[in-house]
Amino acid sequence: MNQSVNHQLEKKFKVADYLEEAEALVAQMTLEEKVGLCSGEDYWTLKAIKRLNLQSISMMDGPHGLRKQIGESDNLGIGESEPSVCYPTASALACSYNPDLLYRVGEALGEACLQEGVSVILGPGVNMKRSPLCGRNFEYFSEDPLVSGKLAGAIIRGIQSKGIGSSLKHFAVNNQEKRRMSVSAVVDERTLREYYLKAFEIAVKEGNPDTVMCSYNKINGVYASENDFLLKKVLREEWGYKGVTVSDWGAVHDRPLGVEAGLDLEMPGNQGYNDKKVLEAVKQGKLSQTALDQTAINVTALILKGMAHQESGFRYVPEKHHELAQEAACESGVLLKNDEALLPLNSQKKWAIIGGFAQQPRYQGAGSSKINPIKIDTPLEWFEHYNVDISYAQGYPLGGKGQSKEVSEQVLIEEAVELAKRSEGVCLFVGLTEGYESEGFDRENLKMPENQNRLIQAVTAVNDQVVVILSGGAPFEMPWHDQVRAILLMYLSGEGGGKAVVDLLLGHENPSGKLAETWPLALEDTPAYEDFPGMREEVLYKESLYVGYRYYDSYEKPVLFPFGYGMSYSTFAYSDFKVSVGEDEKINISYTIKNTGSVAGKETSFIFVHQCDSQFFNPVHQLLAFDKVTLEAQASKVISLSIPISDLRHFDVDSQSWQFESGDYIFSLGESSRSILDSEQVHLELKNTARQTRKSEAELKAYYEKNLVSQVALRHDMFEKLLGRSVNKTDQAVQKPFTKEHTLEDCQHTFMGKIVNLYAGKIAKEVTKEEPEQEGMILSTIREMPFFAMVASGDDMLSEEMMYGILDVLNGHIIRGIKHFI
C-alpha cells in the first residue's frame, strides 16, 4: 500500500465494505503487526502501522453525548472532557417510542464525532432492565427487547449515516453493577435467546453497528470476552454480523482464548501486556493463525473506514443540536397523573417553584457516560422567560448522598412551606440526587431521598395544588402519590430538559411519552427480588422469562404505573381493530385512532400477543409491535402494521432450533400493557411446528401456572430442571489461596485484606475529592475488580509483578511477596 491509497479510500458506510482491502493489507503484515492490532494503543486510540499507511483512529464514550477526554484518561467519567451536547439518557428517550427522533439524535452524535475527529462512539446500550436497582439502568432503554432493539437500531443508523461507527453494548446479560467484572449470570438458554439476546439481535440486523462491545461478566460460567457461543455461534454465524467485536474497557480475561473465540479488539491498550501472550500462543500453536488473521482483518477494516470518513474542519451548529436536545426531552416526558386537569398550569396564577433541581437540574447519570454539556437549560430561567409569576425555595440540600445535615434540611423545608402557603400552586422538582445511581454500583432500595419525601408531605399539608416533577434514571417509590394532584416524569432529560419541562407544564407542548418499563409499588414486588444482585460468584436468573410487565401482567400484580402508561392533554379513541394473515407469511393488523381532544397530540399504541394452549410456558403478554402517530384535534388515522410470523417462534433447547406452534393466538391492542382496548383470536397453521416438548418444560409450565402468583422466582430444583444442570444454592466461603481471579472484596475478612481495603478507600476519596458524589462508584470499582483486570486496565494501576506480590502477602507469604515488589 503506497502513500496515495489514503486518497483512494471511498466513503463506504459499513465495516464489511472494507474487508477486501483489509485482507490485502493484512497479507503484507508481519506476525508482530497482526498481534499488535489485537489491542489499542492507549485508552482511546487504535494502533497505527506507518509503513502500510494505516493510521490510528479513536473510540470515545457515549451514548447520550460525546465524551472526548482532555488530558489524563479514565473510563469512569472522572477526567475533564470536551464540551458536547448532552441528550436525554436512554431511559428517557425510550419513552418517546419514536425511532425517527432517535435517528436524528444519532445523526447529531455522528456530527459531534466528525467535529472532534472521533471514529467510533461507544453506544448505545441495550441491556435489559431485569431489576430497577441496576445502577446503570439510566443508560438502557427498556424492560422489553423489542423496544430496546428497535430504538437502538434507529440511533445506530443515525450515527453511522455520518460515517461514524457505533458500539452496541454490553454483549451480554450485563444487568447489574455489583461484581460486574467477575459474576456469572446463570440463565437458561431459552430465556437467554428469547429475552436477553433479542434486543441485540434486532439492533444488529436493523442497525448493523460497526462494533459490538462484550460485557465484563461471565455468562453461564464463561467470560463474555472469550465466549465462543456468543461471539461466534450466535453473533456471527446465526445473525450474520460482519463488524468488529471489542471488549469493554478492561474486560479481557484470557486474551489468546478471546482471539480464538472471536473477540477482535482489546481496549484499552495496556503497553502490550496481552499482546505478548497472543504472540506466544501463536508461536506455540495454541492459537490458530487463521483466528489471528481474521482479527487483524476486522480491525484493519474498522481503521480503513475511520480513515475514509475523517473530515478536517467540519463543524456542527451547537444551537441546532441544543434545540434537538430540547425536542427529545420534551417528547420523552411522561405525564403520570393529572387530577382535575391541573395541567397545563394557569400561567396567570402565582406559583411556588420548590426544589433544588429547578435551579440545578439533575439531567444525566454518573460514570463513563458523563458529558460536559454545551449549556444547561434550567426550569427557573424558562419560567421567567415566559413571564410566569414565580417565587423559588430550594427545599432540600443539593449535595450527594449522605452529605446533608438534618438541621439544614429542616430549615429548607420550613422555607418551602412558608412559600407554599402564600402561593396559589406549587411545582415541586424532586428525584434521585447525584450519588444515588451510577455506573459501578447498584441501588440498595427504591427509595427517594427521605428529606424530599418529608418536603412533599409538608408542602401538600398547606397547599392542595401541587405538581411533582421527577428526575432520575430508574423507578422509585412514591409514598406521597395520593397527596399530589399531578406528576410529570422527566427521567434524566439532558441539557435541554429545563425548557422542555416548562413547555410541557405550561401546555406549549403536549406530553406524549409513555413508560418503557414498569414502575412497581415496592421492591419486594419485583420479579428478581430474591436473586438480585445474587451470590458472590453467580447470580441465578430464576424468574426466567417473567421480567417486567411479562411477570406483573401474567399474575395480575398491582403496580404503581404499568409498562406503556402515559397521559396526554388530548384524548384518543380506538376502533376497527382487525387481524389477518397474509400469503407473504405476515400478520396484518389495522386499527383507527382518533384524537377526540381539543389540541394536537401524539399517541403510542401497542400490539401484544399470547399463545393459547402452548406446550411452552409463556407470559400472558408479549409485545409484538408499537406505533406512534401525530394527530391534530379531531383528526383520525388508520394504523396498518405488518409483522413477520417468525416473530412468534420459540427457541426449543433440545433441538437447538427456533420453532413454531400451530394453534390459537390472541392479538391485543392496548394503550398500555394494563389497558387492553380490543383483542382478536386467530388460528394459525404454521410450518416447522414444534415437536413434543421435553417433560421438564411441561412441569415448568404447570409450576408457573400454579405458583408464581405468590412466589416470583422458581424453586431451586425447578430452576435446575430449566437449566438442565445443577448450580450452587448458596455462596461458597472464600478461602485461601487467593488468586488473580479474586478481588479486594474477597479478602477483606483477612488481616492483610483489611489493610489493603482501607488503602483502597483512601485512593477512592483522593481521586474524587473534587466530585465526592463519585466516591461510591470508584470505591466499588476498585474493590470489585479482579486482580487480573487491574493489571490489564491500561492505567498502570498494577503491574503483573506487583499483583503476584500482593497475592503472596494476602496468602501469608510475606517475604516472597516483598521480593516481587523489589
Side-chain angles (χ1 to χ4, degrees), residues 120-284:
V120 179
I121 186 169
L122 305 181
V126 296
N127 293 104
M128 293 289 92
K129 298 186 178 185
R130 177 181 180 239
S131 167
L133 295 182
C134 176
R136 210 167 179 177
N137 271 359
F138 64 86
E139 275 193 48
Y140 304 140
F141 291 106
S142 178
E143 67 187 20
D144 184 85
L146 178 72
V147 176
S148 296
K150 291 285 185 181
L151 297 182
I155 205 167
I156 289 167
R157 291 193 301 273
I159 292 168
Q160 299 196 167
S161 72
K162 301 298 178 180
I164 302 301
S166 61
S167 193
L168 182 66
K169 62 184 187 180
H170 306 89
F171 192 59
V173 205
N174 179 190
N175 309 117
Q176 65 188 63
E177 292 299 284
K178 181 65 179 176
R179 299 186 68 92
R180 63 175 175 165
M181 301 190 81
S182 60
V183 75
S184 178
V186 180
V187 55
D188 69 279
E189 189 174 359
R190 184 183 162 210
T191 299
L192 178 65
R193 286 177 172 274
E194 291 186 20
Y195 186 72
Y196 289 103
L197 297 183
K198 196 65 179 178
F200 288 97
E201 180 180 8
I202 294 169
V204 164
K205 291 180 176 178
E206 296 191 4
N208 195 20
D210 278 357
T211 74
V212 172
M213 182 191 293
C214 79
S215 57
Y216 288 113
N217 53 285
K218 302 172 189 173
I219 299 93
N220 292 321
V222 181
Y223 279 100
S225 62
E226 56 201 48
N227 198 307
D228 180 271
F229 169 78
L230 285 179
L231 300 177
K232 274 189 181 177
K233 186 177 189 299
V234 174
L235 181 62
R236 295 202 183 275
E237 295 173 13
E238 295 183 15
W239 299 349
Y241 180 65
K242 301 295 184 184
V244 173
T245 52
V246 58
S247 73
D248 201 343
W249 266 231
V252 166
H253 173 246
D254 184 317
R255 187 66 186 111
L257 196 57
V259 174
E260 193 69 61
L263 181 68
D264 296 319
L265 178 62
E266 175 187 12
M267 290 297 287
N270 44 39
Q271 295 83 48
Y273 169 70
N274 275 324
D275 290 352
K276 296 172 186 175
K277 297 181 179 181
V278 173
L279 183 62
E280 191 64 25
V282 173
K283 289 181 176 179
Q284 293 180 1

Side-chain angles (χ1 to χ4, degrees), residues 333-336 343 345 351-355 357-358 362 379 383 396 426-432 448 452 456 466-472 476 478 480 484 486-491 493 497-498 500-502 504-505:
V334 185
L335 182 60
L336 296 176
L343 297 178
L345 298 177
W351 289 91
I353 308 301
I354 296 174
F357 287 168
R362 172 97 196 287
F383 275 122
Y396 53 84
V426 178
C427 289
L428 259 170
F429 288 79
V430 295
L432 300 180
M448 285 174 57
Q452 293 185 16
I456 298 171
V466 176
V467 181
V468 171
I469 299 93
L470 298 172
S471 298
F476 42 82
M478 302 182 197
W480 37 262
V484 302
I487 303 173
L488 178 62
L489 170 66
M490 297 301 294
Y491 274 102
S493 54
V501 70
V502 175
L504 291 169
L505 290 171

Side-chain angles (χ1 to χ4, degrees), residues 50 128 192 211 238 272 305 398 446-447 466 491 496 517 577 686 689 707 717 795 806 809:
K50 292 183 179 180
M128 293 289 92
L192 178 65
T211 74
E238 295 183 15
K305 184 195 167 184
L398 285 168
L446 291 184
K447 299 184 184 302
V466 176
Y491 274 102
E517 62 184 321
F577 181 58
L686 302 172
T689 54
N707 293 312
D717 62 320
D795 55 7
I806 290 172
V809 169

Side-chain angles (χ1 to χ4, degrees), residues 691-709:
R691 56 170 181 74
Q692 184 68 35
T693 57
R694 53 184 176 165
K695 182 181 178 183
S696 60
E697 186 86 37
E699 287 182 274
L700 288 161
K701 186 173 186 292
Y703 181 90
Y704 275 117
E705 291 172 351
K706 181 179 179 182
N707 293 312
L708 273 191
V709 178

